[in-house]
Amino acid sequence: MTRLLHADDPADIEAVAAVLRDGGIAALPTETVYGLAGNALDADVVGAIYAAKGRPSDNPLIVHVASVDDLPRVVRSVPDQARALAAAFWPGPLTIVLPRRDVIPDRVTAGRDSVAVRVPAHEAFRAVLRAAGVPLAAPSANRAGSPSPTTAQHVLHDLDGRIPAVLDGGPCEVGVESTVVDLTRTPPRLLRPGGVSLEQLRAVLGDVQVDPAVVGEMAADQAPGAPGMKYRHYAPAAPVVVVDGDAAQAAAYVRAQGLDHAAVLCFDEEASAFAGTGEVVTYGSADDPEALARGIFDALRTLDRPGVESIFARCPTRDDGLYRAVRNRLLKAAAFRVVSAS
């Protein structure tokens, strides 16, 4: 059985840090999603993270450090752009890709010469970092491809018995993974949208390009530069289809499919429009991107169970701010299957 520990108990913080110091792995809360952490400097520990998740070996991990002062421990250089981003957004939901030091194993970076690094804002994670004394590689603490975990209970659902411990820090504040920006390219490139928006990045860096993988599928022979870029991610077992159009049109489209065991994922204010289409689960108001980000993975997990054979999802049409991150997660969950009901 996996031990459930508590982030507000200093003894439990030390217990998790001891697991990590001794070469184990454990799930920790961050402000984004729960992460499955292990010593980023130990290739065998990193291998255990991949094994526990069933994660493809070409999907790189993010390395977490306690402060910007720890960056030289894991990267070869810290350019002015990185310092500017760190001053603006760290601790917080931003990951920066920089040239890696040789101390970082190939398993962390999937063989790339760069490494993705961030300073998390969740105080419990940072307390564990300080107590463990090593940088921590930490992808989301779920089985690979499934919806990301935003509570300790989500972690236990996926990984109970596969990892030694989960540190329960309550629900995650942001609810979607960190933004990833690659500073090894000129101009910098957004690899994954998240809690720091593209507009915020551009306010600091100027020109920032958006990687095509943010809005479309990568080719099978392409190597992902950051987590969440290549594979079907964030997805329940049932196939997901995003339905565009207004709520009435979308509801009519779903009814016309005549599918048994179908479910709908929609905005709070649309629930009545989809009455009679099957199970209806809402994940926040269309006018509240923060609520949508906090609710999306919990809602997808609610629908990830026997008896749900197809899911029709309503996705934000706006592609700015935090809306971009929510839209990206739903499109990834649907493997970019989108139909127009208009």
Side-chain angles (χ1 to χ4, degrees):
M1 295 292 292
T2 298
R3 296 173 64 195
L4 181 64
L5 304 174
H6 300 282
D8 57 358
D9 186 337
D12 282 357
I13 293 285
E14 173 53 33
V16 170
V19 168
L20 299 172
R21 285 196 303 267
D22 291 343
I25 59 178
L28 307 177
T30 80
E31 73 279 17
T32 57
V33 301
Y34 276 70
L36 181 56
N39 184 352
L41 308 182
D42 188 321
D44 291 337
V45 171
V46 174
I49 293 173
Y50 278 95
K53 285 177 57 69
R55 184 183 180 91
S57 61
D58 67 344
N59 198 4
L61 307 183
I62 293 172
V63 173
H64 298 69
V65 295
S67 78
V68 68
D69 294 334
D70 294 325
L71 276 182
R73 192 173 179 185
V74 296
V75 304
R76 295 198 304 270
S77 61
V78 184
D80 290 343
Q81 288 179 318
R83 295 191 183 280
L85 288 174
F89 304 116
W90 279 358
L94 176 67
T95 295
I96 304 173
V97 178
L98 295 166
R100 68 165 172 147
R101 288 175 60 90
D102 291 341
V103 71
I104 299 296
D106 283 348
R107 277 183 168 176
V108 170
T109 68
R112 288 178 169 265
D113 195 38
S114 58
V115 62
V117 188
R118 88 174 181 105
V119 176
H122 200 291
E123 184 50 43
F125 196 115
R126 295 174 68 200
V128 172
L129 272 168
R130 292 189 292 267
V134 292
L136 297 176
S140 55
N142 58 330
R143 296 302 298 269
S146 66
S148 297
T150 56
T151 68
Q153 289 67 40
H154 293 165
V155 179
L156 289 171
H157 179 273
D158 281 17
L159 300 179
D160 193 11
R162 299 176 66 88
I163 60 175
V166 179
L167 187 67
D168 187 352
C172 296
E173 180 181 355
V174 177
V176 293
E177 295 83 354
S178 61
T179 301
V180 181
V181 61
D182 187 352
L183 295 187
T184 69
R185 308 187 192 203
T186 302
R189 180 171 292 195
L190 176 70
L191 302 184
R192 182 178 71 185
V196 174
S197 71
L198 176 62
E199 294 77 16
Q200 289 175 301
L201 293 177
R202 285 174 171 164
V204 174
L205 299 176
D207 186 18
V208 178
Q209 294 183 344
V210 178
D211 194 280
V214 171
V215 294
E217 289 186 280
M218 292 183 68
D221 60 350
Q222 284 184 278
M229 291 185 69
K230 182 175 181 180
Y231 298 95
R232 181 175 181 252
H233 266 67
Y234 323 118
V240 178
V241 176
V242 170
V243 184
D244 283 344
D246 66 33
Q249 292 170 327
Y253 174 87
V254 173
R255 292 189 185 95
Q257 305 313 299
L259 296 177
D260 295 329
H261 309 295
V264 171
L265 177 66
C266 67
F267 308 120
D268 292 348
E269 53 269 35
E270 295 182 346
S272 60
F274 286 95
T277 60
E279 181 177 1
V280 177
V281 172
T282 65
Y283 67 109
S285 169
D287 297 323
D288 188 346
E290 288 79 13
L292 295 175
R294 288 192 299 269
I296 184 59
F297 288 138
D298 186 68
L300 286 170
R301 281 180 170 269
T302 297
L303 296 173
D304 191 14
R305 56 177 173 73
V308 176
E309 297 179 0
S310 56
I311 300 169
F312 297 94
R314 298 286 285 156
C315 187
T317 56
R318 287 183 57 175
D319 196 25
D320 62 339
L322 197 52
Y323 285 113
R324 179 179 284 105
V326 175
R327 183 171 177 80
N328 169 264
R329 301 315 189 268
L330 266 179
L331 290 174
K332 290 282 190 180
F336 295 94
R337 291 185 296 266
V338 181
V339 299
S340 175
S342 57

